[in-house]
Amino acid sequence: MVLFFHELRRNRTSLIIWTSVISFMLAVCVFIYPEMKGQMNEMTDMFADMGNLTAAFGMDELNFGEFMGYFGLECGELLGLGGVIFAALLGISALSKEEKDRTAEFLLTHPVSRVSITLYKLLSVLVQIFILNIAVACVTFISVAAVGEDADTKTMLLLFLAYFLLQIEIGCITFGLSAFMRRGGVGIGLGLGIMTYFINIIANLTEALEPLKYLTPFSYAEGSYIVNNCAFEWKYMIVGAVAMAVCLVLGFIKYNRKDIA
Amino acid sequence: MKAINTEHLTKYYGSKRGIVDVSLSVDKGDFFGFIGPNGAGKSTTIRTLLGLISPTSGSATVLGKDIVKDKTEILSLVGYMPSEASFYGGMKVKDLIAFSAKMRGIDCSVEAKKLCDRLELDMSRRVNELSFGNRKKVSIVCALQHSPELYILDEPTSGLDPLMQREFYSILRERNEKGATVFLSSHVLSEVARYCKSAAVIRDGGILVSDRVEKLGHTGVKRVCLRCTQELPDIKGAKDIKRENDSINFLYSGDIKLLIQELCNISFEDINITDPDLEEVFMHYYVKEEN
């Protein structure tokens, strides 16, 4: 537990910054909605003329005239992409940062098994993602109440839950990968996070590319699907859960045997 | 029970040699010096003992516990000091030392304070602002504060000023007198000759010799110093022959009588035959033999 709190303390600043920025952006989106509402109907028509590109962002299925349609899209862009980058950076550096900063030798010569060290570090990654999402959700609900928009609480909760799970999945996958890294790997984490986002956009473009959706967790966190159906797409979620479990198990095995140079 | 016992311990990094067939035995209560040039395998041996790297083959025990199976248990009994310590940036010295103690599940703040005072380490500074020598002191405190049974120290004195080195060794001696075992690596031959009871020399990944320090000094090798202008005849057992103006200096190992007989054939003004000092013995192991 000492290590868990140590990890949280070390990441405190970064967690505060990411949480504030994402909450602030979402709050701004909510607060400008009443102003934009009037123009939204025109916008919906305009977007409808953009063909495939609208589909790419799921805008063909969302109605901007309604708050939930607008929010589903904004939430996807901000909390989805922002949260995933946060989770990816957190995961990829969890284990590898110790070796990059040469602190691994210090840490691993204390009488704590490698498995416990990995567990506490994983726990700290999950808790940080949890804190970020809880804070963002709270700020958003308060903002919605403040502007007095008609929001469907259950759908909003589902959206937040979907983005939370998406971040957990990316966080765990990058955490597993970080056991294999020696020199940080921020680039790989960042690249992976952004790549999954774009794979989803590409997969939305044409029917032929739809199988690509199995490769990205953004597929089950699709704002348009959740807002319209008030449910998750389970088939994508199961694939994600399996990928996450495999990466974690491999990461644990690797780190337990790794030579610390 | 031995403090450290390795049997044919071997580590390859891919195809690169780390250590080969290292068999080493350190008694409990010993003050053991582990010497060898850079890249000889000192740190590899130490890191294997601590479970930071896993051996390719061979086995080892530390305080009777297996280095692969009982890794965590060993770590709780050992105080380790790396040759180059890096710490979490931004932490204060006292927080880092306390973190290290908490990771061991004990409170040894009194001892930590005592050590910091003796080593003149300012506990309120941040670790990333410290000089190399002061970081070394933080390492010392982390390795010593929980008063372990065995100290494994990788080049502990590099970067410390001479006064601090002396203070550090006097702390180690006190601990050793109370029964703790000290195992330290070094390439400063004089400090090993001065402080250690036993020593081993490692070169190119293999142990060359391991014995009590006083026995290492009596190798049967003599340093012979002749004052003469003649060329030295070819004497069997003479090594490291150096000519300097009108004197010849060499190491001789073998029957002393044969040496005298050979020397009767040349004329010289003066002769001096002495035991080489320990540093010279170590140096002899350091330098690769010609053949």
Side-chain angles (χ1 to χ4, degrees):
Chain A
M1 255 355 211
V2 178
L3 181 62
F4 169 73
F5 289 114
H6 171 75
E7 288 287 312
L8 286 189
R9 208 170 303 132
R10 281 212 304 147
N11 284 323
R12 191 173 45 192
T13 320
S14 126
L15 177 63
I16 291 173
I17 292 174
W18 278 96
T19 308
S20 328
V21 169
I22 295 177
S23 312
F24 176 73
M25 301 287 277
L26 270 179
V28 167
C29 283
V30 172
F31 278 109
I32 60 171
Y33 181 73
E35 291 249 337
M36 296 182 79
K37 195 157 53 176
Q39 307 155 25
M40 271 304 168
N41 289 326
E42 292 165 37
M43 275 176 89
T44 310
D45 292 340
M46 192 179 83
F47 283 138
D49 295 335
M50 285 165 67
N52 280 347
L53 209 60
T54 358
F57 293 92
M59 294 189 297
D60 53 341
E61 291 169 28
L62 286 175
N63 180 4
F64 294 104
E66 283 169 23
F67 177 73
M68 283 316 292
Y70 169 82
F71 186 75
L73 180 71
E74 295 302 338
C75 190
E77 305 303 305
L78 288 170
L79 183 55
L81 193 56
V84 153
I85 291 173
F86 170 74
L89 290 181
L90 202 56
I92 204 77
S93 58
L95 293 168
S96 60
K97 198 170 188 296
E98 299 279 351
E99 277 166 275
K100 183 175 158 255
D101 297 348
R102 312 197 67 82
T103 48
E105 192 175 27
F106 173 76
L107 180 67
L108 296 179
T109 47
H110 287 89
V112 181
S113 72
R114 296 235 188 137
V115 174
S116 320
I117 284 178
T118 320
L119 272 174
Y120 286 133
K121 280 188 172 270
L122 177 62
L123 187 65
S124 105
V125 168
L126 299 182
V127 167
Q128 287 177 67
I129 294 176
F130 183 72
I131 294 173
L132 177 126
N133 281 274
I134 288 289
V136 168
C138 289
V139 170
T140 310
F141 276 114
I142 293 168
S143 314
V144 170
V147 293
E149 273 305 325
D150 170 34
D152 177 358
T153 311
K154 193 187 166 207
T155 310
M156 289 242 316
L157 282 175
L158 266 186
L159 272 173
F160 281 124
L161 182 61
Y163 289 115
F164 174 63
L165 293 176
L166 159 72
Q167 291 161 37
I168 292 285
E169 184 187 329
I170 291 292
C172 287
I173 287 175
T174 49
F175 183 88
L177 289 178
S178 93
F180 292 83
M181 314 264 162
R182 282 200 188 283
R183 291 276 163 265
V186 167
I188 295 174
L190 206 58
L192 193 89
I194 294 174
M195 197 183 70
T196 53
Y197 176 76
F198 282 107
I199 286 179
N200 191 51
I201 291 182
I202 293 166
N204 277 340
L205 281 174
T206 69
E207 296 249 324
L209 291 174
E210 220 179 80
L212 277 179
K213 286 199 145 213
Y214 285 101
L215 291 178
T216 164
F218 277 94
S219 53
Y220 62 70
E222 191 83 72
S224 55
Y225 185 91
I226 294 171
V227 169
N228 290 334
N229 300 288
C230 200
F232 291 141
E233 278 192 280
W234 289 103
K235 54 179 180 180
Y236 298 132
M237 219 170 229
I238 290 165
V239 177
V242 171
M244 183 174 101
V246 169
C247 278
L248 278 183
V249 168
L250 289 179
F252 268 84
I253 293 173
K254 172 66 184 175
Y255 202 67
N256 203 27
R257 294 181 181 169
K258 196 179 193 181
D259 281 352
I260 304 297
Chain B
M1 193 175 72
K2 298 277 186 188
I4 297 172
N5 193 49
T6 75
E7 268 164 38
H8 311 292
L9 202 62
T10 300
K11 175 68 187 178
Y12 276 93
Y13 300 100
S15 61
K16 225 180 90 220
R17 164 196 66 76
I19 47 172
V20 181
D21 210 16
V22 167
S23 294
L24 195 67
S25 171
V26 178
D27 286 322
K28 266 194 159 181
D30 208 343
F31 203 122
F32 198 100
F34 192 43
I35 55 188
N38 293 328
K42 298 189 294 285
S43 292
T44 302
T45 310
I46 289 176
R47 290 158 150 272
T48 312
L49 291 175
L50 293 161
L52 286 171
I53 53 182
S54 43
T56 311
S57 65
S59 65
T61 59
V62 173
L63 296 163
K65 293 172 183 22
D66 187 87
I67 56 161
V68 179
K69 273 184 291 172
D70 314 316
K71 219 188 285 191
T72 314
E73 238 177 299
I74 290 175
L75 290 173
S76 67
L77 300 170
V78 170
Y80 168 62
M81 181 179 165
S83 58
E84 244 176 86
S86 296
F87 303 112
Y88 300 107
M91 276 180 93
K92 281 191 176 155
V93 170
K94 61 166 179 275
D95 294 333
L96 188 98
I97 291 171
F99 171 65
S100 176
K102 272 190 259 165
M103 285 288 282
R104 298 183 172 279
I106 46 178
D107 176 18
C108 38
S109 51
V110 179
E111 189 60 35
K113 181 81 182 62
K114 252 191 241 168
L115 286 166
C116 286
D117 286 347
R118 281 184 77 170
L119 294 167
E120 292 167 20
L121 176 62
D122 182 355
M123 290 177 91
S124 61
R125 292 185 61 186
R126 292 191 186 279
V127 281
N128 43 329
E129 293 164 356
L130 296 178
S131 67
F132 182 70
N134 278 323
R135 281 212 303 278
K136 209 88 193 178
K137 292 181 191 171
V138 177
S139 255
I140 295 175
V141 177
C142 288
L144 268 63
Q145 61 171 346
H146 55 292
S147 305
E149 273 181 58
L150 170 65
Y151 297 88
I152 297 185
L153 315 163
D154 197 356
E155 289 178 19
T157 52
S158 65
L160 289 182
D161 66 58
L163 277 176
M164 276 306 137
Q165 289 189 15
R166 205 159 61 188
E167 185 61 28
F168 171 66
Y169 272 112
S170 75
I171 298 173
L172 284 185
R173 269 205 171 147
E174 287 162 25
R175 301 281 173 106
N176 182 239
E177 276 158 18
K178 282 181 194 152
T181 313
V182 179
F183 179 85
L184 63 90
S185 82
S186 176
H187 50 209
V188 185
L189 305 173
S190 58
E191 69 177 21
V192 173
R194 192 155 152 207
Y195 295 105
C196 294
K197 296 181 196 163
S198 306
V201 181
I202 185 168
R203 208 188 61 203
D204 298 333
I207 300 281
L208 293 176
V209 64
S210 173
D211 211 334
R212 307 287 299 169
V213 165
E214 63 267 19
K215 279 195 193 153
L216 285 172
H218 300 289
T219 47
V221 178
K222 297 283 175 190
R223 174 148 295 277
V224 185
C225 193
L226 277 179
R227 186 188 286 251
C228 77
T229 46
Q230 247 184 300
E231 277 302 313
L232 195 70
D234 192 18
I235 302 172
K236 198 168 162 281
K239 259 190 254 169
D240 192 23
I241 305 166
K242 278 181 200 133
R243 173 168 272 284
E244 225 172 89
N245 297 327
D246 57 349
S247 68
I248 300 173
N249 202 317
F250 63 94
L251 281 172
Y252 176 78
S253 59
D255 192 346
I256 272 293
K257 248 161 101 184
L258 288 175
L259 173 74
I260 304 289
Q261 276 169 12
E262 287 281 0
L263 290 178
C264 283
N265 300 327
I266 57 169
S267 60
F268 52 86
E269 288 168 45
D270 196 6
I271 184 165
N272 211 333
I273 303 179
T274 52
D275 272 334
D277 63 21
L278 202 57
E279 224 178 307
E280 207 174 346
V281 176
F282 290 151
M283 193 61 91
H284 158 77
Y285 286 111
Y286 257 57
V287 181
K288 277 188 181 164
E289 281 147 49
E290 294 301 311
N291 43 6

